[in-house]
Amino acid sequence: MLAEVGAHVAQVYEDLLKRSDPRITEYPFMTSPLPMTAILLFYVYFILSLGPKLMAGRKPFDLKKIMVVYNFSLVFFSIFIVYEFLMSGWATGYTYRCDPIDTSNSPRALRMVRVAWLFLFSKFIELLDTVFFVLRKKNSQITFLHIFHHSVMPWTWWWGIKFGPGGMGSFHAMINSVVHVIMYFYYGLSAAGPAFQKYLWWKKYMTAIQLVQFILVSLHVTQYYFMSHCDYQFPLFIHLVWMYGTFFFILFSNFWYQAYTKGKRLPKNTPEKRKAAAKNGKLGVENGRHVVENGEVMNGKMKMK
């Protein structure tokens, strides 16, 4: 009985992969979902168990220089990804409504396949965000939001580009890359040291930018439900993107409330912090220091306390 069930599942799996886009198969890690799944499972294991155990008897690593290079490298990489998304469809023919996937081998269609894979690749690079937290012993900053985003996003995007690289389902990837240009520029400045703290007054607006992102993504895919006809090939992806955008809008709205309405993540010794403390009936104890907390809003984490 078990053998029959296993054989049936294997057959369904093989039939499913046969329906995938053949143009993406030549790219690394795209033949089978097993390698990328193994990487993500090890990532979660390292973050929650192995990493903290290895660092238990060690001093935190000083990774400021590495983080500066890392963050600004992702800024330039994200700029390139945005440009490629624009040139492969979003600025060269897409209507921003019902845009089907171009399944041809035209230069523009193949360019979209390539940038879709590059976006996926960037998600695996960004796993280092959490690794840096572990090596710096900032385990308290590794939240559910952070781990969920870093692990689920690349896993779902792998399936997305495996079957449908491009079309209206890629809009959220382009918008996310735009946000990452701003976000990693912020982190790069914050990692550069105290001399740059005065340029980080716009920390609060990072969450607002995130919320605008999720609103744009949700509104874009919501169009699908009001169209009389749309020949986009994978409606399931539309449903998933809508749920993803809505879910994260709720999570980041709560982050905004906790961080800035209640004042839990505002810099100390500022009017905003004192106002929030007074509103919540708390008397803040100030020690005369101005502490700037640099938080990664996108993934629910914080950097460079």
Side-chain angles (χ1 to χ4, degrees), residues 99-211:
D99 295 299
I101 301 165
D102 184 350
T103 58
S104 72
N105 287 316
S106 68
R108 191 175 73 173
L110 293 177
R111 192 172 186 176
M112 176 60 80
V113 173
R114 182 183 68 175
V115 70
W117 183 86
L118 286 174
F119 180 77
L120 171 67
F121 181 64
S122 73
K123 299 299 110 182
F124 284 93
I125 295 176
E126 290 166 14
L127 297 180
L128 290 174
D129 290 356
T130 329
V131 173
F132 291 152
F133 272 140
V134 173
L135 297 180
R136 295 169 58 227
K137 302 188 78 169
K138 301 291 184 179
N139 299 330
S140 62
Q141 298 172 1
I142 303 174
T143 64
F144 165 77
L145 178 58
H146 174 88
I147 297 175
F148 181 85
H149 176 81
H150 276 70
S151 56
V152 174
M153 180 68 174
W155 195 85
T156 54
W157 185 252
W158 187 94
W159 292 99
I161 67 171
K162 182 67 174 177
F163 292 90
M168 67 183 302
S170 64
F171 177 78
H172 75 284
M174 182 181 67
I175 295 299
N176 182 249
S177 297
V178 172
V179 171
H180 277 207
V181 172
I182 303 170
M183 189 175 69
Y184 281 103
F185 179 72
Y186 177 92
Y187 304 147
L189 287 180
S190 68
F196 294 89
Q197 299 301 320
K198 59 183 178 181
Y199 302 112
L200 301 178
W201 55 267
W202 45 284
K203 170 192 172 181
K204 179 177 180 179
Y205 301 101
M206 288 297 298
T207 310
I209 292 172
Q210 297 289 355
L211 292 173

Side-chain angles (χ1 to χ4, degrees), residues 10-294:
Q11 186 61 51
V12 171
Y13 171 74
E14 291 180 7
D15 293 341
L16 178 65
L17 290 186
K18 288 178 181 178
R19 298 175 56 192
S20 64
D21 194 315
R23 300 171 301 173
I24 199 71
T25 306
E26 64 185 50
Y27 286 87
F29 302 107
M30 295 309 300
T31 302
S32 166
L34 297 180
M36 68 91 180
T37 302
I39 292 173
L40 294 174
L41 287 175
F42 180 77
Y43 159 79
V44 174
Y45 169 65
F46 178 84
I47 297 307
L48 296 180
S49 180
L50 181 61
K53 288 180 181 178
L54 293 175
M55 292 299 299
R58 301 172 184 268
K59 293 183 179 180
F61 286 95
D62 183 1
L63 303 176
K64 290 182 180 180
K65 292 182 179 179
I66 294 175
M67 290 172 62
V68 169
V69 174
Y70 167 78
N71 286 315
F72 282 113
S73 294
L74 281 175
V75 169
F76 293 115
F77 191 30
S78 298
I79 290 174
F80 177 73
I81 289 175
V82 172
Y83 175 78
E84 287 298 298
F85 269 124
L86 290 170
M87 292 300 100
S88 58
W90 290 104
T92 57
Y94 278 17
T95 65
Y96 288 82
R97 288 184 58 76
C98 178
D99 295 299
I101 301 165
D102 184 350
T103 58
S104 72
N105 287 316
S106 68
R108 191 175 73 173
L110 293 177
R111 192 172 186 176
M112 176 60 80
V113 173
R114 182 183 68 175
V115 70
W117 183 86
L118 286 174
F119 180 77
L120 171 67
F121 181 64
S122 73
K123 299 299 110 182
F124 284 93
I125 295 176
E126 290 166 14
L127 297 180
L128 290 174
D129 290 356
T130 329
V131 173
F132 291 152
F133 272 140
V134 173
L135 297 180
R136 295 169 58 227
K137 302 188 78 169
K138 301 291 184 179
N139 299 330
S140 62
Q141 298 172 1
I142 303 174
T143 64
F144 165 77
L145 178 58
H146 174 88
I147 297 175
F148 181 85
H149 176 81
H150 276 70
S151 56
V152 174
M153 180 68 174
W155 195 85
T156 54
W157 185 252
W158 187 94
W159 292 99
I161 67 171
K162 182 67 174 177
F163 292 90
M168 67 183 302
S170 64
F171 177 78
H172 75 284
M174 182 181 67
I175 295 299
N176 182 249
S177 297
V178 172
V179 171
H180 277 207
V181 172
I182 303 170
M183 189 175 69
Y184 281 103
F185 179 72
Y186 177 92
Y187 304 147
L189 287 180
S190 68
F196 294 89
Q197 299 301 320
K198 59 183 178 181
Y199 302 112
L200 301 178
W201 55 267
W202 45 284
K203 170 192 172 181
K204 179 177 180 179
Y205 301 101
M206 288 297 298
T207 310
I209 292 172
Q210 297 289 355
L211 292 173
V212 170
Q213 170 191 204
F214 300 130
I215 291 173
L216 289 176
V217 169
S218 296
L219 287 176
H220 177 257
V221 297
T222 298
Q223 297 179 95
Y224 179 83
Y225 302 108
F226 297 94
M227 295 176 183
S228 58
H229 174 73
C230 180
D231 54 358
Y232 178 72
Q233 296 91 323
F234 296 97
L236 175 61
F237 296 160
I238 297 299
H239 307 326
L240 290 175
V241 170
W242 188 88
M243 289 188 292
Y244 196 83
T246 303
F247 178 67
F248 273 93
F249 179 81
I250 294 172
L251 287 179
F252 278 93
S253 296
N254 180 66
F255 178 91
W256 176 280
Y257 176 75
Q258 296 295 333
Y260 302 115
T261 302
K262 286 193 170 183
K264 291 182 178 180
R265 298 192 182 186
L266 287 172
K268 296 180 181 179
N269 199 27
T270 62
E272 292 84 358
K273 185 73 172 183
R274 291 192 293 270
K275 183 178 179 180
K279 184 177 180 180
N280 289 285
K282 298 178 181 179
L283 295 177
V285 179
E286 305 293 346
N287 60 9
R289 287 192 304 128
H290 181 72
V291 180
V292 179
E293 298 174 340
N294 300 316

